[in-house]
């Protein structure tokens, strides 16, 4: 049985990274959170940039909560200004229930910004000390949850990188892992094929319903851009054509369920295998969605663009030899000129997943600024266009 080296968590999960998460529960606290983070190696700041009001922001808060209990997080510090309606205990209490340390600070109660930074550094040092006390152990592949995402797609994506990742997904599932993909709008036109892979009629119905809802959501205004200019320059002509290529990254294994992400539900996998999810097609937001679903890493396919996240490491795969860069972890270009095969590249992806899960850094992991973007659907718009969670 294949294993990887991971950090054991009290709830039985295993992290591939061991970070301290500092949450600015309202944007007024971001400077405070970042001043604390500067003093704590391996700390990550997550900021709510919407408003300090809870009503209407339930989905975003839920993303923060479930990201805070991601296996890659060892402890959490939550900071609030104190004049908003989001109680920092909403974040800390679920973390504590999972057996992890969590602290809260409220600036108004804590005598202002300067004192909060001082106290926050001390509390974050305690969390860091706890994280440093945890040693990696052998963990089963069945403990891995892996997000699958595409971006910067071009003609090579559907022919090389996406099929290679799909084949790798199949192999990882066969080893016992769980993989999941989102971007439902980018599966438009593939409904019949996806339905044929669903484990039940109910799952097939959900696939069709949620793809249709995403189409409705993104086309409220005629002419809304759902393909980037880079996709078109890269040779893709329509969202339907792009979908056929994007679907390849989901592999061929049965679809266990479609996991919902909204202000009421945050579905999680109930068994190992492949899942579709409501993770957004927007790259930064998708990373946080996958983190909130429990993924420890992401496999990301592209032509050559780079994408990074500070909580969930990203393995990048490209098959475009004309623009591939050192940002990419896996070179699938040989598929395009018939000097390599999907089977061989997918084996390399599986090997890379095991290596990164055991502590090896991806090419961009410690390079550049990786922002923890929070994305949520506007509940007011959802109701106006008739999308109501069931």
């Amino acid at each position: 049985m294949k294993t990887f080296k991971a950090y054991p968590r009290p709830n039985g999960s295993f992290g591939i990274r061991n970070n301290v998460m500092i949450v600015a529960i309202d944007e007024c606290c971001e400077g405070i959170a970042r001043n604390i983070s500067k003093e704590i190696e391996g700390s990550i700041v997550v900021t709510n940039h919407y408003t300090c009001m809870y009503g209407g922001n339930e989905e975003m808060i839920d993303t923060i909560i479930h990201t805070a209990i991601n296996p890659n997080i060892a402890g959490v510090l939550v900071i609030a200004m104190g004049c908003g309606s989001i109680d920092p205990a909403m974040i800390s209490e679920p973390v504590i229930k999972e057996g992890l340390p969590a602290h809260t600070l409220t600036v108004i109660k804590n005598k202002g910004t300067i004192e909060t930074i001082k106290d926050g550094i001390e509390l974050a040092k305690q969390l860091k000390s706890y994280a440093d006390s945890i040693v990696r152990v052998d963990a089963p592949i069945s403990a891995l949850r892996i997000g699958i995402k595409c971006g910067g797609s071009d003609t090579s994506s559907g022919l090389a990188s996406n099929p290679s990742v799909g084949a790798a997904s199949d192999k990882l599932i066969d080893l016992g892992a769980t993989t999941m993909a989102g971007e439902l709008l980018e599966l438009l036109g593939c409904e019949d094929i996806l339905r044929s892979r669903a484990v039940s009629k109910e799952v097939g119905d959900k696939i069709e319903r949620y793809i249709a809802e995403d189409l409705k959501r993104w086309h409220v205004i005629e002419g809304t851009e759902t393909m980037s200019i880079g996709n078109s320059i890269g040779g893709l002509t329509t969202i339907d054509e792009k979908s056929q290529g994007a679907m390849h990254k989901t592999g061929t294994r049965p679809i266990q369920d479609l996991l919902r992400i909204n202000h009421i539900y945050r579905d999680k996998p109930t068994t190992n295998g492949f899942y579709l999810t409501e993770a957004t097609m927007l790259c930064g937001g998708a990373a946080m969605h996958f983190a909130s679903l429990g993924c420890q890493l992401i496999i990301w396919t592209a032509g050559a663009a780079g994408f990074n996240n500070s909580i969930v490491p990203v393995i990048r795969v490209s098959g475009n030899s004309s623009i591939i860069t050192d940002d990419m972890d896996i070179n699938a270009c040989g598929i395009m000129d018939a000097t390599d095969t999907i089977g061989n590249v997918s084996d390399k992806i599986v090997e890379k997943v095991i290596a990164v899960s055991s502590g090896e850094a991806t090419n961009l992991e410690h390079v550049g600024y990786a922002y923890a973007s929070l994305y949520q659907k506007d509940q007011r718009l959802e109701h106006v266009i008739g999308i109501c969670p069931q």
Side-chain angles (χ1 to χ4, degrees), residues 172-298:
L172 287 161
I173 289 169
D174 293 346
L175 291 170
T178 294
T179 65
M180 59 187 80
E183 326 182 75
L184 295 181
L185 182 60
E186 299 190 4
L187 294 174
L188 186 67
C190 305
E191 291 89 342
D192 288 345
I193 299 171
L194 296 170
R195 177 180 274 279
S196 71
R197 291 172 53 194
V199 298
S200 68
K201 179 182 182 300
E202 290 74 20
V203 172
D205 289 345
K206 287 172 72 173
I207 292 170
E208 289 201 16
R209 176 190 170 190
Y210 289 115
I211 290 176
E213 285 189 353
D214 223 27
L215 176 62
K216 191 175 183 181
R217 183 178 292 122
W218 284 95
H219 287 81
V220 173
I221 301 172
E222 186 176 352
T224 299
E225 181 182 8
T226 50
M227 274 182 55
S228 72
I229 188 65
N231 296 153
S232 300
I233 291 172
L236 300 177
T237 60
T238 65
I239 187 66
D240 303 85
E241 181 185 43
K242 183 180 179 182
S243 294
Q244 295 298 316
M247 182 183 62
H248 286 310
K249 72 180 184 293
T250 70
T252 64
R253 296 297 179 262
I255 301 171
Q256 301 297 325
D257 202 354
L258 195 154
L259 306 178
R260 294 165 295 177
I261 300 173
N262 55 52
H263 65 291
I264 299 174
Y265 303 107
R266 183 74 43 152
D267 289 335
K268 298 289 183 72
T270 55
T271 186
N272 289 359
F274 178 77
Y275 291 80
L276 288 177
T277 77
E278 285 195 286
T280 177
M281 62 185 175
L282 304 174
C283 292
M288 297 301 285
H289 275 168
F290 284 129
S292 73
L293 293 169
C295 291
Q296 297 106 320
L297 62 88
I298 294 169

